[in-house]
Amino acid sequence: MSDMKASVLETKNGFHVEGYERISYDFTFLDGVFNPKNPQLAACYERWGRVLAVTDLNVYNLYGEQIEKYFQHYHLELKVHKSKIGEKAKTIPTFLSIVDSMTDFGIIRKEPVLVVGGGLVTDVAGFACAAYRRNTNFIRVPTTVIGLIDASVSIKVAVNYGNYKNRLGAYHAPIHTFLDFTFLRTLPKAQIRNGFAELIKISTCSHLDTFNLLDKYCEELIETGFGRADGASEEVRAAADKINKEGIHEMLKLETPNLHEIGLDRVIAYGHTWSPMHELVPETPLRHGHAISIDMAYSATLANNRKLISDAEHRRILSLFSRAGLSMDHHLFDEDILDKGTAAILKTRDGKLRAAVPNPIGTCTFLNDVAASELNAALRRHKQLMKEYPRNGEGLEAYVDASDTGYTENNAREAEAIETAAEEAGTLNDDVAIHGGSVPNGHANGHINGYSNGVTGKVANGIAEELSNGINGFTNGSRA
């Protein structure tokens, strides 16, 4: 929730306006958020008597029945918008499909949309809420490690555009976030590993105690879903709970004074200097955790070259990534991509690199005075070091798959449906054609409405009723 305080002062030639917005929102740790014995979530909707939920298809297939029974128990009418939201479908058409479902539902100004899913779902649905009437409330129930640890902390919401992650978005806080770590019982290990990277991120540059726990329990945390799997020891469960709570708390302390990123030196941007570029370079995109791990590992090598971290600390960081099965390098991460990533991030960060690096583990330094020659030399050394690690530093299950909905299921049939719909729509707004354009090098990379396999097409109105990511909330050819 937010309250606005403002003043308007008359000046010699006009007026001067100052406004201050108070932002407040809550986090609740609650295992079993959809257990009928826990009324906390239902209480948020008692006033409205109904719920519009946005979730991804994977989550709905696993938990849809439980969610429906929960709201039936509390006599709340439930409508569910199901989307296949992955990096390839984190796009404007997916965003618009959620907007259309909000319109069809007749969402009332202060009525909160319920968003259930991983970080991709909360990003796109949160952006839809930010845009709808310029400010629609929402409640988050994250279901992945990244969603619980990282995306739940930030108030940033966005979609990808062109070849760039999160190029279109807003700052829009949910009114409440429920953190239920029992979702990790059904999360694939590849996704556990994916989220593990976010905890390495925050601990390496800001919380040594958490880094030490990750280092001690690395393999067990991944194998047991952070202690939530059957048979997990109490020791691992206790360590996981401590890691999760302290990791979230640390990120909140760092982010809360800078929710709108007015300050651009951000500790939690460790691993996010070059990764926004190279994450989407492969034809099948890297998982976010693997992309930032490559960035973090390379940044650690850069820091070691400058003697900001010792050789022992450097190897300790690399060893943790390797033990977790996270990527530290990729064959397409080369000097050209490094240069392009640098150029892109300089624009984002107002002309400065602001590369967060450990100095030492548990603290952070920002680098600005780094020449291209130094960056390239660090990359060459990093790639030599990677030869000492399994798979030359490439990670396990590093690429998105069917558990990252919206990529593998965006097949050629759906791309063809886009082209057909565009041809039928023809023109828009007094015969001004809307062109999707060509996709270079056989890569989609989010250029044209999130469809994959490098299909060339034209899009007008974005209407394709058979599309899982199309307008009006259609999934698998039926109304969501």
Side-chain angles (χ1 to χ4, degrees):
M1 302 294 290
S2 62
D3 294 320
M4 197 72 180
K5 295 181 180 180
S7 62
V8 181
L9 303 176
E10 189 172 357
T11 65
K12 181 179 180 181
N13 298 312
F15 302 97
H16 175 74
V17 177
E18 288 189 13
Y20 301 91
E21 185 177 20
R22 182 178 68 87
I23 301 173
S24 64
Y25 51 102
D26 296 299
F27 291 80
T28 298
F29 289 87
L30 180 64
D31 279 5
V33 65
F34 292 114
N35 185 330
K37 295 179 180 179
N38 295 322
Q40 292 91 325
L41 177 59
C44 298
Y45 290 92
E46 186 176 358
R47 169 188 172 187
W48 312 102
R50 62 177 190 166
V51 181
L52 173 62
V54 177
T55 188
D56 73 53
L57 196 58
N58 282 346
V59 170
Y60 185 80
N61 288 340
L62 286 168
Y63 295 102
E65 183 177 356
Q66 182 181 348
I67 293 170
E68 289 175 359
K69 287 182 177 179
Y70 176 82
F71 287 111
Q72 286 172 6
H73 178 81
Y74 288 99
H75 308 292
L76 295 168
E77 179 187 355
L78 174 67
K79 297 291 184 182
V80 182
H81 174 103
K82 301 178 286 290
S83 288
K84 300 173 187 175
I85 301 179
E87 286 294 351
K88 289 288 187 181
K90 188 180 174 181
T91 57
I92 286 293
T94 306
F95 157 88
L96 289 176
S97 73
I98 297 170
V99 168
D100 279 351
S101 286
M102 293 167 70
T103 297
D104 292 345
F105 186 76
I107 201 82
I108 299 170
R109 182 70 184 223
K110 296 296 183 180
E111 184 178 11
V113 175
L114 176 63
V115 182
V116 184
L120 293 169
V121 177
T122 57
D123 270 3
V124 181
F127 185 33
C129 291
Y132 201 83
R133 295 196 182 99
R134 301 185 185 92
N135 184 6
T136 295
N137 289 332
F138 74 112
I139 292 172
R140 283 189 298 210
V141 180
T143 60
T144 64
V145 181
I146 285 183
L148 288 158
I149 298 296
D150 183 65
S152 71
V153 172
S154 173
I155 69 168
K156 295 183 294 183
V157 291
V159 295
N160 299 336
Y161 181 74
N163 199 33
Y164 298 97
K165 280 181 61 65
N166 301 324
R167 184 49 58 96
L168 304 176
Y171 299 98
H172 186 54
I175 60 174
H176 207 120
T177 298
F178 289 92
L179 301 170
D180 181 356
F181 284 86
T182 63
F183 286 115
L184 303 187
R185 291 170 62 90
T186 57
L187 195 67
K189 283 188 176 61
Q191 294 288 4
I192 300 288
R193 183 180 295 114
N194 190 34
F196 196 89
E198 295 287 356
L199 286 163
I200 295 178
K201 174 191 76 175
I202 191 62
S203 63
T204 302
C205 276
S206 190
H207 207 270
L208 180 59
D209 288 346
T210 297
F211 187 92
N212 289 337
L213 286 172
L214 293 174
D215 197 15
K216 181 177 180 179
Y217 294 103
C218 172
E219 293 85 354
E220 292 169 280
L221 290 167
I222 293 171
E223 285 298 316
T224 66
F226 280 79
R228 260 38 185 202
D230 293 337
S233 70
E234 285 298 320
E235 181 183 356
V236 171
R237 169 71 177 267
D241 287 350
K242 184 177 177 63
I243 288 166
N244 293 332
K245 187 171 184 179
E246 291 189 356
I248 291 170
H249 192 201
E250 187 66 21
M251 282 207 273
L252 283 170
K253 287 190 292 183
L254 290 168
E255 282 289 90
T256 299
N258 193 30
L259 286 172
H260 290 85
E261 295 185 357
I262 295 170
L264 297 178
D265 289 341
R266 301 173 59 241
V267 174
I268 69 169
Y270 177 47
H272 291 71
T273 300
W274 297 281
S275 62
M277 174 62 66
H278 70 244
E279 182 169 342
L280 298 180
V281 166
E283 185 170 0
T284 301
L286 289 164
R287 287 193 164 105
H288 180 68
H290 286 266
I292 67 170
S293 292
I294 293 169
D295 189 317
M296 287 188 282
Y298 165 72
S299 297
T301 298
L302 180 62
N304 178 244
N305 281 0
R306 287 198 166 198
K307 307 302 182 186
L308 299 175
I309 56 174
S310 67
D311 291 346
E313 287 179 307
H314 182 209
R315 289 292 185 167
R316 189 182 180 200
I317 293 170
L318 298 183
S319 175
L320 182 55
F321 282 119
S322 183
R323 289 166 53 207
L326 287 163
S327 300
M328 296 186 286
D329 193 22
H330 188 276
H331 58 279
L332 294 179
F333 184 46
D334 56 19
E335 292 184 11
D336 179 57
I337 293 300
L338 185 66
D339 180 63
K340 290 178 179 177
T342 301
I345 206 65
L346 286 172
K347 294 177 181 177
T348 299
R349 296 176 179 171
D350 199 29
K352 292 185 178 181
L353 186 63
R354 306 178 196 269
V357 298
N359 177 29
I361 294 176
T363 61
C364 180
T365 291
F366 298 96
L367 302 182
N368 292 310
D369 59 334
V370 190
S373 57
E374 182 180 355
L375 293 174
N376 291 337
L379 182 61
R380 289 192 294 271
R381 180 187 173 221
H382 186 70
K383 287 187 176 291
Q384 281 297 119
L385 288 170
M386 290 303 100
K387 294 178 181 179
E388 302 174 22
Y389 293 88
R391 303 170 304 280
N392 291 318
E394 297 203 11
L396 298 172
E397 301 173 296
Y399 300 95
V400 298
D401 61 18
S403 67
D404 306 90
T405 51
Y407 177 71
T408 56
E409 297 182 34
N410 286 350
N411 54 29
R413 173 178 168 273
E414 295 186 342
E416 183 180 355
I418 286 179
E419 294 190 85
T420 301
E423 289 172 3
E424 292 175 354
T427 58
L428 178 67
N429 294 337
D430 298 324
D431 294 329
V432 178
I434 305 297
H435 299 286
S438 299
V439 180
N441 303 322
H443 293 247
N445 285 339
H447 276 81
I448 305 175
N449 289 329
Y451 57 96
S452 61
N453 299 327
V455 180
T456 300
K458 297 179 180 180
V459 179
N461 291 331
I463 301 171
E465 296 189 355
E466 295 181 359
L467 296 182
S468 59
N469 303 311
I471 305 306
N472 298 325
F474 285 86
T475 58
N476 293 330
S478 60
R479 189 76 171 179

